[in-house]
Amino acid sequence: MQFSIMAADLEKKDDAFTSLPSSNHPSGGIIAHGNITDEVVLSKDGFPLFPQPVLSDELDPLNWSKTQKHIILAIVMSLYFMFTYITTTTVPSFPALQEKYAATLEQINWTVAIPALGLSLGPLLWASPADIIGRRPIIILGTIMALVATIGAALAPNYSGYMAARFFQGLGVSPASNVGLAIINDVFFEHERGQKLGLWVLAIDQGLLFGPLIGGFISLAGYEWVQWLTAILLGVILLLEVFFLPETLYPRRLMMTEEREKTGEDGLVAVKRTKKLGFAHVAPIPGMRHPNLWDTIVRFIKTWKFVVVPVSIVVYCFGWYWWVLSVVTLVPIAYAETFPEAHMQGLLYIGLIVGTLLSEVLCSGSLSDRIVVRLAKSSDDNQKVPEMRLWLAYPAAILTAVGLIVWGVSVDNGYHWMVGQVAFALFGAGIQMGNTAICSYVVDAYPMQSMATMTFYAVMLNLSAFVDPFFIVPWVENVGFTLTFAGHAIITVGFCIPLFAVLHKFGPRMRRWSGEPDWKNPEFEQTVF
């Protein structure tokens, strides 16, 4: 008779599983020895875990201690914090950079767009190597590139050299997006995804906002020190990666399907994996099928076929998220007379920081997980559906729109700066909730293609960030803050909410119509080369 294992019975170190007859669950059993075994591992809520852990293998990242998992999460979040920190920390130094490079404000504004271009192209370059030689070497290599580029930015003698260094800064930290999320998926289960993705999204949002706050004060010591501090932060992160980030790409399919040879203490097939790989391992990870180097670009193109992914991501990035860059880059202009000092302007981002933090604690990742469990238990078939993640997108869009309108009106009418802080808190909360909802949705929709979907997300997110600085200043100069940000709000509500409602209603049908992708993440591939 087949049965399921709940983790409470197994007394796993930190996770709670359960055990029930698998005939009550459609998932079948764990695949091992080439056959379906007796066991299906369930979460404490009674849903089959995804991915299924290899219970007897201590090298399976899903079996690692909660402490180690969260150390890994913290390292990934730290690099993802730098993902946007590098783009905005220079904003308070714009006047000094204008003088240094004899450039116009518009040209200096492009120095925010150029690293975003590197952040957009990087995921296409790093994804396949990360699926071949592993997550760890790619994260470390990218951090080294960003560190060297940051030193170059601090020493750049002219505008063109500075722009080149800024591009490679973005390219270097870009693995934090898709490769970073792949690491999170390697070590955490699907039912934890909302919370962990919420924290991951919080890192990018906080980097975007702490950048100008910290940069404003550091610029008092000179604009070069903005880059030197960035170099110090990247150096610390590099040390953490080298000593505390093990390889997490795990040959899951092989470990669950191949004939198990009792060649080691764990009795599993003798394949070096995760913590057993060399300290400086750069060869292909054994025991799994690897993509070609160009497969990331091919899969990026193929992803357009799976309608819910491009619709949700493109709508969010180009109808919602890119307004963040509008706000961040215009704060120095909006409060130039009230707060002429760069370090004081940096303090104006506190409202955004508070909004994103409160949103994550109260309304984002963990709430999303609870909503999914509640809706699944109340459904007729007791099944989780990815579209359940979209419920948080509606209030998030409304919060964003209200914040945008209030801020635009407050600037044009000269309201007290605290009105702007309240507006920023609403705006930041909406952005955080929306980002978490969309990321969780696309990963839940195609969990075995998460590297491809998150590459698509990273490219589109940063492409929108690259484009925004080129049009936002002329827009404000032509019609003012009120009409500009009212336009932002109308687009967010009038464009995004109806399309998310369409996804909510017809998403399952769209996914069936699109068919199944013809590739998987390498850890789930059946064929091993």
Short mmCIF file of all heavy atoms in Angstrom, two decimals, residues 25-76:
data_model
loop_
_atom_site.label_atom_id
_atom_site.label_comp_id
_atom_site.label_asym_id
_atom_site.label_seq_id
_atom_site.Cartn_x
_atom_site.Cartn_y
_atom_site.Cartn_z
N HIS A 25 -4.09 11.38 -1.99
CA HIS A 25 -3.45 12.50 -2.67
C HIS A 25 -3.10 12.09 -4.09
O HIS A 25 -2.62 10.99 -4.34
CB HIS A 25 -2.19 12.93 -1.91
CG HIS A 25 -2.51 13.41 -0.54
ND1 HIS A 25 -2.86 14.70 -0.27
CD2 HIS A 25 -2.55 12.76 0.65
CE1 HIS A 25 -3.10 14.84 1.02
NE2 HIS A 25 -2.90 13.68 1.61
N PRO A 26 -3.31 12.97 -5.05
CA PRO A 26 -3.09 12.63 -6.45
C PRO A 26 -1.64 12.63 -6.86
O PRO A 26 -1.32 12.35 -7.99
CB PRO A 26 -3.84 13.75 -7.19
CG PRO A 26 -3.76 14.92 -6.26
CD PRO A 26 -3.84 14.34 -4.89
N SER A 27 -0.74 12.95 -5.93
CA SER A 27 0.64 13.14 -6.33
C SER A 27 1.40 11.85 -6.52
O SER A 27 2.50 11.84 -7.05
CB SER A 27 1.36 13.99 -5.26
OG SER A 27 1.27 13.36 -4.01
N GLY A 28 0.84 10.71 -6.08
CA GLY A 28 1.57 9.46 -6.23
C GLY A 28 2.61 9.31 -5.17
O GLY A 28 2.37 9.52 -4.01
N GLY A 29 3.84 8.93 -5.56
CA GLY A 29 4.89 8.73 -4.57
C GLY A 29 6.19 9.33 -5.00
O GLY A 29 6.33 9.86 -6.07
N ILE A 30 7.18 9.23 -4.14
CA ILE A 30 8.52 9.67 -4.46
C ILE A 30 9.12 8.72 -5.48
O ILE A 30 8.97 7.51 -5.39
CB ILE A 30 9.40 9.70 -3.20
CG1 ILE A 30 8.88 10.75 -2.23
CG2 ILE A 30 10.84 9.95 -3.53
CD1 ILE A 30 9.65 10.80 -0.95
N ILE A 31 9.84 9.27 -6.45
CA ILE A 31 10.47 8.45 -7.49
C ILE A 31 11.84 8.03 -7.00
O ILE A 31 12.68 8.86 -6.69
CB ILE A 31 10.58 9.22 -8.80
CG1 ILE A 31 9.20 9.69 -9.24
CG2 ILE A 31 11.22 8.38 -9.87
CD1 ILE A 31 9.23 10.61 -10.43
N ALA A 32 12.10 6.75 -6.93
CA ALA A 32 13.41 6.25 -6.54
C ALA A 32 13.57 4.85 -7.11
O ALA A 32 12.61 4.14 -7.37
CB ALA A 32 13.54 6.23 -5.02
N HIS A 33 14.80 4.45 -7.33
CA HIS A 33 15.11 3.14 -7.90
C HIS A 33 14.44 2.95 -9.26
O HIS A 33 14.21 1.82 -9.70
CB HIS A 33 14.67 2.00 -6.97
CG HIS A 33 15.31 2.06 -5.63
ND1 HIS A 33 16.62 1.73 -5.40
CD2 HIS A 33 14.81 2.44 -4.42
CE1 HIS A 33 16.91 1.87 -4.12
NE2 HIS A 33 15.83 2.31 -3.51
N GLY A 34 14.11 4.05 -9.92
CA GLY A 34 13.45 3.95 -11.22
C GLY A 34 11.97 3.66 -11.12
O GLY A 34 11.29 3.53 -12.12
N ASN A 35 11.45 3.48 -9.90
CA ASN A 35 10.04 3.18 -9.72
C ASN A 35 9.42 4.16 -8.73
O ASN A 35 10.11 4.88 -8.03
CB ASN A 35 9.86 1.75 -9.18
CG ASN A 35 10.42 0.72 -10.13
OD1 ASN A 35 10.01 0.67 -11.27
ND2 ASN A 35 11.36 -0.08 -9.64
N ILE A 36 8.08 4.13 -8.63
CA ILE A 36 7.39 4.93 -7.63
C ILE A 36 7.42 4.17 -6.32
O ILE A 36 7.01 3.02 -6.23
CB ILE A 36 5.94 5.20 -8.04
CG1 ILE A 36 5.90 5.92 -9.38
CG2 ILE A 36 5.24 6.01 -6.97
CD1 ILE A 36 6.52 7.29 -9.36
N THR A 37 7.93 4.83 -5.28
CA THR A 37 8.01 4.18 -3.97
C THR A 37 6.74 4.42 -3.18
O THR A 37 5.76 4.97 -3.67
CB THR A 37 9.21 4.74 -3.19
OG1 THR A 37 8.91 6.08 -2.81
CG2 THR A 37 10.48 4.72 -4.00
N ASP A 38 6.78 4.02 -1.92
CA ASP A 38 5.61 4.10 -1.06
C ASP A 38 5.35 5.50 -0.49
O ASP A 38 4.33 5.71 0.13
CB ASP A 38 5.77 3.16 0.14
CG ASP A 38 5.97 1.73 -0.30
OD1 ASP A 38 5.82 1.46 -1.49
OD2 ASP A 38 6.28 0.91 0.57
N GLU A 39 6.32 6.39 -0.63
CA GLU A 39 6.27 7.58 0.20
C GLU A 39 6.05 8.86 -0.61
O GLU A 39 6.65 9.07 -1.64
CB GLU A 39 7.58 7.72 0.98
CG GLU A 39 7.85 6.53 1.88
CD GLU A 39 9.22 6.58 2.49
OE1 GLU A 39 10.03 7.42 2.06
OE2 GLU A 39 9.49 5.77 3.40
N VAL A 40 5.18 9.69 -0.08
CA VAL A 40 5.02 11.06 -0.55
C VAL A 40 5.14 11.95 0.67
O VAL A 40 4.46 11.72 1.68
CB VAL A 40 3.65 11.27 -1.23
CG1 VAL A 40 3.44 12.74 -1.53
CG2 VAL A 40 3.55 10.46 -2.50
N VAL A 41 5.99 12.96 0.61
CA VAL A 41 6.20 13.83 1.75
C VAL A 41 5.26 15.02 1.65
O VAL A 41 5.17 15.67 0.62
CB VAL A 41 7.67 14.31 1.82
CG1 VAL A 41 7.91 15.10 3.10
CG2 VAL A 41 8.61 13.13 1.75
N LEU A 42 4.54 15.26 2.74
CA LEU A 42 3.54 16.32 2.78
C LEU A 42 3.97 17.43 3.73
O LEU A 42 4.72 17.20 4.67
CB LEU A 42 2.19 15.77 3.24
CG LEU A 42 1.64 14.54 2.51
CD1 LEU A 42 0.32 14.13 3.13
CD2 LEU A 42 1.49 14.82 1.03
N SER A 43 3.46 18.63 3.47
CA SER A 43 3.70 19.73 4.38
C SER A 43 2.80 19.58 5.61
O SER A 43 1.91 18.73 5.66
CB SER A 43 3.40 21.07 3.69
OG SER A 43 2.00 21.22 3.49
N LYS A 44 3.00 20.43 6.60
CA LYS A 44 2.19 20.36 7.81
C LYS A 44 0.72 20.67 7.53
O LYS A 44 -0.16 20.31 8.32
CB LYS A 44 2.72 21.33 8.87
CG LYS A 44 2.67 22.79 8.45
CD LYS A 44 3.27 23.69 9.51
CE LYS A 44 3.23 25.15 9.09
NZ LYS A 44 3.84 26.04 10.10
N ASP A 45 0.44 21.33 6.38
CA ASP A 45 -0.94 21.62 6.00
C ASP A 45 -1.57 20.50 5.20
O ASP A 45 -2.72 20.61 4.78
CB ASP A 45 -0.99 22.93 5.18
CG ASP A 45 -0.56 24.12 6.00
OD1 ASP A 45 -1.12 24.32 7.09
OD2 ASP A 45 0.35 24.86 5.56
N GLY A 46 -0.80 19.43 4.93
CA GLY A 46 -1.36 18.28 4.24
C GLY A 46 -1.22 18.31 2.74
O GLY A 46 -1.78 17.46 2.04
N PHE A 47 -0.44 19.24 2.18
CA PHE A 47 -0.23 19.31 0.74
C PHE A 47 1.11 18.66 0.39
O PHE A 47 2.09 18.80 1.14
CB PHE A 47 -0.24 20.76 0.26
CG PHE A 47 -1.57 21.45 0.43
CD1 PHE A 47 -1.79 22.30 1.50
CD2 PHE A 47 -2.59 21.24 -0.48
CE1 PHE A 47 -3.01 22.94 1.67
CE2 PHE A 47 -3.81 21.87 -0.32
CZ PHE A 47 -4.03 22.73 0.75
N PRO A 48 1.20 17.96 -0.74
CA PRO A 48 2.48 17.36 -1.16
C PRO A 48 3.56 18.43 -1.31
O PRO A 48 3.31 19.48 -1.90
CB PRO A 48 2.15 16.71 -2.50
CG PRO A 48 0.68 16.47 -2.46
CD PRO A 48 0.10 17.61 -1.68
N LEU A 49 4.73 18.17 -0.76
CA LEU A 49 5.82 19.12 -0.88
C LEU A 49 6.33 19.17 -2.31
O LEU A 49 6.37 18.17 -3.02
CB LEU A 49 6.98 18.70 0.03
CG LEU A 49 6.79 18.87 1.53
CD1 LEU A 49 8.02 18.36 2.26
CD2 LEU A 49 6.54 20.33 1.89
N PHE A 50 6.73 20.37 -2.73
CA PHE A 50 7.43 20.54 -4.00
C PHE A 50 8.59 21.49 -3.74
O PHE A 50 8.40 22.57 -3.20
CB PHE A 50 6.52 21.10 -5.09
CG PHE A 50 7.25 21.25 -6.40
CD1 PHE A 50 7.37 20.17 -7.25
CD2 PHE A 50 7.84 22.46 -6.75
CE1 PHE A 50 8.07 20.29 -8.45
CE2 PHE A 50 8.54 22.58 -7.93
CZ PHE A 50 8.65 21.50 -8.78
N PRO A 51 9.82 21.04 -4.16
CA PRO A 51 10.17 19.72 -4.67
C PRO A 51 10.11 18.67 -3.56
O PRO A 51 10.17 19.00 -2.39
CB PRO A 51 11.61 19.90 -5.16
CG PRO A 51 11.85 21.38 -5.20
CD PRO A 51 10.96 21.97 -4.16
N GLN A 52 10.03 17.40 -3.97
CA GLN A 52 10.10 16.32 -3.00
C GLN A 52 11.55 16.14 -2.55
O GLN A 52 12.46 16.06 -3.37
CB GLN A 52 9.59 15.02 -3.61
CG GLN A 52 8.08 14.97 -3.77
CD GLN A 52 7.37 14.65 -2.46
OE1 GLN A 52 7.59 13.61 -1.87
NE2 GLN A 52 6.51 15.57 -2.02
N PRO A 53 11.80 16.11 -1.24
CA PRO A 53 13.18 15.94 -0.76
C PRO A 53 13.63 14.49 -0.85
O PRO A 53 12.81 13.57 -0.82
CB PRO A 53 13.08 16.39 0.70
CG PRO A 53 11.69 16.04 1.10
CD PRO A 53 10.84 16.27 -0.13
N VAL A 54 14.94 14.29 -0.97
CA VAL A 54 15.53 12.96 -0.84
C VAL A 54 15.86 12.80 0.64
O VAL A 54 16.88 13.28 1.13
CB VAL A 54 16.79 12.82 -1.72
CG1 VAL A 54 17.38 11.41 -1.58
CG2 VAL A 54 16.45 13.11 -3.17
N LEU A 55 14.98 12.14 1.36
CA LEU A 55 15.00 12.19 2.83
C LEU A 55 16.28 11.67 3.45
O LEU A 55 16.71 12.14 4.49
CB LEU A 55 13.80 11.40 3.37
CG LEU A 55 12.42 11.96 3.00
CD1 LEU A 55 11.33 11.03 3.49
CD2 LEU A 55 12.23 13.35 3.59
N SER A 56 16.91 10.69 2.80
CA SER A 56 18.09 10.08 3.40
C SER A 56 19.39 10.77 3.01
O SER A 56 20.46 10.33 3.41
CB SER A 56 18.17 8.61 3.00
OG SER A 56 18.22 8.49 1.59
N ASP A 57 19.31 11.84 2.23
CA ASP A 57 20.52 12.49 1.74
C ASP A 57 20.74 13.82 2.44
O ASP A 57 20.03 14.80 2.20
CB ASP A 57 20.41 12.71 0.22
CG ASP A 57 21.72 13.18 -0.38
OD1 ASP A 57 22.73 13.22 0.35
OD2 ASP A 57 21.74 13.52 -1.59
N GLU A 58 21.74 13.90 3.29
CA GLU A 58 22.05 15.14 4.00
C GLU A 58 22.63 16.20 3.07
O GLU A 58 22.74 17.38 3.46
CB GLU A 58 23.02 14.86 5.15
CG GLU A 58 24.38 14.36 4.69
CD GLU A 58 25.32 14.09 5.85
OE1 GLU A 58 24.87 14.10 7.00
OE2 GLU A 58 26.53 13.86 5.58
N LEU A 59 23.02 15.81 1.86
CA LEU A 59 23.54 16.77 0.89
C LEU A 59 22.44 17.44 0.08
O LEU A 59 22.70 18.36 -0.68
CB LEU A 59 24.52 16.07 -0.06
CG LEU A 59 25.78 15.49 0.59
CD1 LEU A 59 26.64 14.77 -0.44
CD2 LEU A 59 26.58 16.58 1.29
N ASP A 60 21.20 16.98 0.24
CA ASP A 60 20.06 17.63 -0.41
C ASP A 60 19.82 18.97 0.28
O ASP A 60 19.56 19.01 1.49
CB ASP A 60 18.82 16.74 -0.28
CG ASP A 60 17.61 17.31 -0.99
OD1 ASP A 60 17.64 18.49 -1.42
OD2 ASP A 60 16.60 16.58 -1.13
N PRO A 61 19.90 20.09 -0.45
CA PRO A 61 19.71 21.41 0.19
C PRO A 61 18.38 21.54 0.92
O PRO A 61 18.28 22.30 1.88
CB PRO A 61 19.78 22.38 -1.00
CG PRO A 61 20.62 21.68 -2.02
CD PRO A 61 20.27 20.22 -1.88
N LEU A 62 17.36 20.79 0.51
CA LEU A 62 16.07 20.85 1.18
C LEU A 62 16.14 20.27 2.59
O LEU A 62 15.28 20.55 3.43
CB LEU A 62 15.01 20.11 0.37
CG LEU A 62 14.66 20.72 -0.99
CD1 LEU A 62 13.71 19.81 -1.75
CD2 LEU A 62 14.06 22.11 -0.83
N ASN A 63 17.16 19.45 2.86
CA ASN A 63 17.32 18.83 4.17
C ASN A 63 18.27 19.60 5.09
O ASN A 63 18.49 19.18 6.23
CB ASN A 63 17.84 17.39 4.02
CG ASN A 63 16.85 16.49 3.31
OD1 ASN A 63 15.64 16.69 3.41
ND2 ASN A 63 17.35 15.51 2.58
N TRP A 64 18.85 20.69 4.61
CA TRP A 64 19.77 21.44 5.44
C TRP A 64 19.02 22.14 6.57
O TRP A 64 17.81 22.35 6.51
CB TRP A 64 20.54 22.46 4.60
CG TRP A 64 21.45 21.82 3.59
CD1 TRP A 64 21.80 20.50 3.53
CD2 TRP A 64 22.11 22.46 2.49
NE1 TRP A 64 22.65 20.27 2.46
CE2 TRP A 64 22.85 21.46 1.81
CE3 TRP A 64 22.14 23.75 2.02
CZ2 TRP A 64 23.61 21.74 0.68
CZ3 TRP A 64 22.92 24.04 0.89
CH2 TRP A 64 23.64 23.05 0.24
N SER A 65 19.75 22.53 7.60
CA SER A 65 19.13 23.15 8.76
C SER A 65 18.52 24.50 8.40
O SER A 65 18.94 25.16 7.45
CB SER A 65 20.16 23.34 9.88
OG SER A 65 21.09 24.35 9.52
N LYS A 66 17.54 24.90 9.17
CA LYS A 66 16.92 26.20 8.95
C LYS A 66 17.94 27.32 9.06
O LYS A 66 17.90 28.31 8.31
CB LYS A 66 15.80 26.42 9.97
CG LYS A 66 15.06 27.74 9.80
CD LYS A 66 13.95 27.90 10.81
CE LYS A 66 12.80 26.96 10.51
NZ LYS A 66 11.62 27.24 11.40
N THR A 67 18.90 27.17 10.00
CA THR A 67 19.93 28.21 10.16
C THR A 67 20.75 28.37 8.90
O THR A 67 20.95 29.50 8.42
CB THR A 67 20.85 27.86 11.34
OG1 THR A 67 20.08 27.80 12.54
CG2 THR A 67 21.95 28.90 11.50
N GLN A 68 21.22 27.26 8.34
CA GLN A 68 22.04 27.35 7.13
C GLN A 68 21.23 27.89 5.95
O GLN A 68 21.72 28.71 5.17
CB GLN A 68 22.64 26.00 6.77
CG GLN A 68 23.54 26.10 5.53
CD GLN A 68 24.40 24.88 5.31
OE1 GLN A 68 24.05 23.79 5.75
NE2 GLN A 68 25.52 25.05 4.63
N LYS A 69 19.98 27.45 5.83
CA LYS A 69 19.14 27.96 4.74
C LYS A 69 19.00 29.47 4.81
O LYS A 69 19.05 30.16 3.79
CB LYS A 69 17.76 27.29 4.81
CG LYS A 69 17.72 25.83 4.39
CD LYS A 69 16.28 25.32 4.44
CE LYS A 69 16.18 23.88 3.98
NZ LYS A 69 14.78 23.41 3.91
N HIS A 70 18.83 29.99 6.01
CA HIS A 70 18.61 31.43 6.14
C HIS A 70 19.91 32.23 6.04
O HIS A 70 19.87 33.41 5.66
CB HIS A 70 17.85 31.74 7.42
CG HIS A 70 16.39 31.40 7.32
ND1 HIS A 70 15.89 30.15 7.61
CD2 HIS A 70 15.32 32.14 6.91
CE1 HIS A 70 14.59 30.14 7.40
NE2 HIS A 70 14.21 31.33 6.98
N ILE A 71 21.03 31.61 6.34
CA ILE A 71 22.32 32.26 6.04
C ILE A 71 22.48 32.41 4.54
O ILE A 71 22.88 33.47 4.03
CB ILE A 71 23.49 31.46 6.64
CG1 ILE A 71 23.49 31.58 8.16
CG2 ILE A 71 24.83 31.93 6.07
CD1 ILE A 71 24.50 30.68 8.86
N ILE A 72 22.14 31.35 3.80
CA ILE A 72 22.20 31.40 2.34
C ILE A 72 21.24 32.46 1.80
O ILE A 72 21.59 33.25 0.91
CB ILE A 72 21.89 30.01 1.75
CG1 ILE A 72 23.01 29.02 2.10
CG2 ILE A 72 21.69 30.09 0.23
CD1 ILE A 72 22.68 27.57 1.79
N LEU A 73 20.02 32.49 2.34
CA LEU A 73 19.05 33.50 1.92
C LEU A 73 19.58 34.90 2.19
O LEU A 73 19.43 35.80 1.34
CB LEU A 73 17.73 33.28 2.66
CG LEU A 73 16.62 34.32 2.41
CD1 LEU A 73 16.20 34.31 0.96
CD2 LEU A 73 15.42 34.04 3.32
N ALA A 74 20.21 35.11 3.33
CA ALA A 74 20.75 36.43 3.67
C ALA A 74 21.84 36.85 2.70
O ALA A 74 21.92 38.04 2.31
CB ALA A 74 21.28 36.42 5.10
N ILE A 75 22.69 35.91 2.27
CA ILE A 75 23.74 36.24 1.32
C ILE A 75 23.14 36.63 -0.03
O ILE A 75 23.55 37.62 -0.66
CB ILE A 75 24.71 35.05 1.16
CG1 ILE A 75 25.49 34.83 2.46
CG2 ILE A 75 25.68 35.28 0.00
CD1 ILE A 75 26.32 33.57 2.48
N VAL A 76 22.16 35.85 -0.48
CA VAL A 76 21.49 36.17 -1.75
C VAL A 76 20.80 37.53 -1.66
O VAL A 76 20.89 38.35 -2.60
CB VAL A 76 20.47 35.06 -2.10
CG1 VAL A 76 19.61 35.48 -3.30
CG2 VAL A 76 21.19 33.75 -2.41
#
